[in-house]
Amino acid sequence: MTATRTIQLEVLRYRPEQDAKPFFQTYAVPVEDEWVVLDALNYVKDELDRTLSYRWSCHMFVCGSCGMMINGEPKLACKAFMQDYPSGKIRVEPLSNFPIERDLVIVQDDFVEKLTAVKPYLLPKQDKTVEQGEYLQTPAELKKYKQYSLCINCLCCYAACPQYGLEPSFIGPAALTLAHRYNTDSRDAGPEARGDLVAAHEGVWACSFVGACSQVCPKDVDPAGAIQQAKLYSALNFVTGMVKGDK
Amino acid sequence: MSAATTDTANPRKPYVRPISKTSWFLTSARYKSYMVHEVSSIFVALYMIQLVAGLFYLAAGPEEWESYLAFLRSPVVILLTLVGLVFFVIHTTSWFKAVPQATRIMRGEEVLPGKILVTAHYGIWAAVSLFVIILAWVA
């Protein structure tokens, strides 16, 4: 049975061409328990206010477009079910720690730059030609990093991370996790090929292990875990480097 | 294309929400609990200093060791020690909880379940504690 009820959807609005700063606008939205917050936003867009802007695409926790603050928690709007908000009041804001482009749309440029910087792709030890075939890997080697490859770049972890908010030079959870994902891939040449970025001050060592990123991750990627493992690797590397007399 | 060619025609004006450097941790229950956990490590440090100081007094001779024991017996120190012990247990358990996140061990083709790692830590903790208690009993 679906029970239709009306919720008060408070949305942080910001229209750069006319607003000096963001403000909350409340919409009365008839919803069903099976709905998600994204459905409510779509209702507003279709029926109440077509000027509302937000990102979304797949509606099934795959594309990572609809990350936003829902009652103060970074969540995917397509994964936040109405039945979990019985109070009838839902507050929606753009992801914390990012500049607001318009309404619920954030400026992602900083993240995209950082993601690019960690080279999130295979850097093989030795390049192969197509004729030489694929880079092979055993199931055990895949399991070593698979969890960290499930990131959908929704940026909920950045919104949860106080360190990123306070110190924007921090490379941050998702990009560091992807660096770790490739560094631990048996087909990859490892951290040396990826540069010193992960071990740098704004890399893993800027993380103080609040752990909020892993708590909010909608894909259970556990960025905090990946970063702690990368710290261990970086520390061991530093010590072996000293012993060998590298620096 | 009628794309804007000058900056004045650029309608972009990103809004940056301010973050307080001094009170950011009051903005969510998660941050508050993190900060309480971090600040409580002061008591853990004091407890450690107390234990290490004991070693120095022990090395200094029987009289000094007795004065250290007398210091430990004062009510304020007993209270502080108890507080330190409570936080020590909290910090130990929270670190044990984090072990599976920071350590990923492959056993054959599978990742070793975190539960085993955590249980092993508790097991070692219990064994060492038991050993120390027996040692204290015998001595």
Side-chain angles (χ1 to χ4, degrees), chain B residues 34-76:
Chain B
Y34 165 76
M35 274 312 242
V36 168
H37 188 266
E38 295 298 289
V39 170
S40 68
S41 60
I42 292 170
F43 291 97
V44 176
L46 287 175
Y47 189 56
M48 285 295 294
I49 291 168
Q50 181 186 308
L51 287 178
V52 173
L55 283 176
F56 281 98
Y57 279 96
L58 187 64
E63 268 178 41
E64 281 76 4
W65 174 243
E66 275 308 315
S67 74
Y68 175 71
L69 291 183
F71 168 75
L72 287 191
R73 283 190 200 102
S74 84
V76 177

Side-chain angles (χ1 to χ4, degrees), chain B:
Chain B
M1 281 288 286
S2 59
T5 48
T6 59
D7 273 354
T8 48
N10 183 0
R12 287 187 69 179
K13 200 180 75 184
Y15 182 85
V16 177
R17 288 161 286 179
I19 296 171
S20 164
K21 293 249 181 214
T22 48
S23 62
W24 60 268
F25 51 88
L26 299 174
T27 57
S28 90
R30 188 176 286 131
Y31 297 166
K32 278 182 210 162
S33 109
Y34 165 76
M35 274 312 242
V36 168
H37 188 266
E38 295 298 289
V39 170
S40 68
S41 60
I42 292 170
F43 291 97
V44 176
L46 287 175
Y47 189 56
M48 285 295 294
I49 291 168
Q50 181 186 308
L51 287 178
V52 173
L55 283 176
F56 281 98
Y57 279 96
L58 187 64
E63 268 178 41
E64 281 76 4
W65 174 243
E66 275 308 315
S67 74
Y68 175 71
L69 291 183
F71 168 75
L72 287 191
R73 283 190 200 102
S74 84
V76 177
V77 177
I78 288 176
L79 188 71
L80 272 177
T81 307
L82 283 175
V83 172
L85 183 66
V86 168
F87 284 123
F88 225 107
V89 171
I90 291 172
H91 278 260
T92 305
T93 51
S94 57
W95 274 111
F96 283 4
K97 208 176 128 198
V99 166
Q101 279 187 288
T103 325
R104 210 172 168 83
I105 298 172
M106 296 299 292
R107 202 168 57 176
E109 291 207 348
E110 300 296 327
V111 177
L112 190 68
K115 234 177 167 175
I116 293 177
L117 280 174
V118 177
T119 312
H121 275 73
Y122 275 102
I124 294 167
W125 190 19
V128 171
S129 301
L130 194 70
F131 175 73
V132 171
I133 289 167
I134 290 170
L135 204 67
W137 200 267
V138 173

Side-chain angles (χ1 to χ4, degrees), chain A residues 150-166:
Chain A
L150 301 177
C151 174
I152 55 173
N153 298 343
C154 67
L155 305 187
C156 284
C157 55
Y158 282 77
C161 176
Q163 204 63 23
Y164 179 64
L166 293 165

Side-chain angles (χ1 to χ4, degrees), chain A residues 177-244:
Chain A
T177 301
L178 273 170
H180 185 68
R181 171 252 175 276
Y182 285 100
N183 283 341
T184 48
D185 190 318
S186 60
R187 301 163 297 177
D188 193 274
E192 288 73 22
R194 205 151 272 102
D196 290 336
L197 207 56
V198 171
H201 174 70
E202 61 272 23
V204 288
W205 298 107
C207 163
S208 60
F209 202 2
V210 177
C213 52
S214 294
Q215 287 166 357
V216 303
C217 177
K219 304 298 281 187
D220 293 324
V221 170
D222 191 11
I227 294 173
Q228 305 325 303
Q229 290 163 35
K231 277 182 190 171
L232 184 66
Y233 183 88
S234 161
L236 286 175
N237 205 32
F238 177 74
V239 173
T240 51
M242 276 208 313
V243 172
K244 282 184 195 162

Side-chain angles (χ1 to χ4, degrees), chain A residues 91-125:
Chain A
R91 175 175 270 207
V92 184
E93 298 161 81
L95 285 175
S96 296
N97 300 335
F98 290 97
I100 306 174
E101 183 76 59
R102 170 186 293 273
D103 295 340
L104 299 170
V105 178
I106 53 158
V107 182
Q108 300 179 330
D109 301 1
D110 183 55
F111 169 70
V112 173
E113 272 170 33
K114 284 167 177 167
L115 184 65
T116 312
V118 299
K119 300 181 185 153
Y121 37 82
L122 270 190
L123 295 170
K125 292 180 184 93

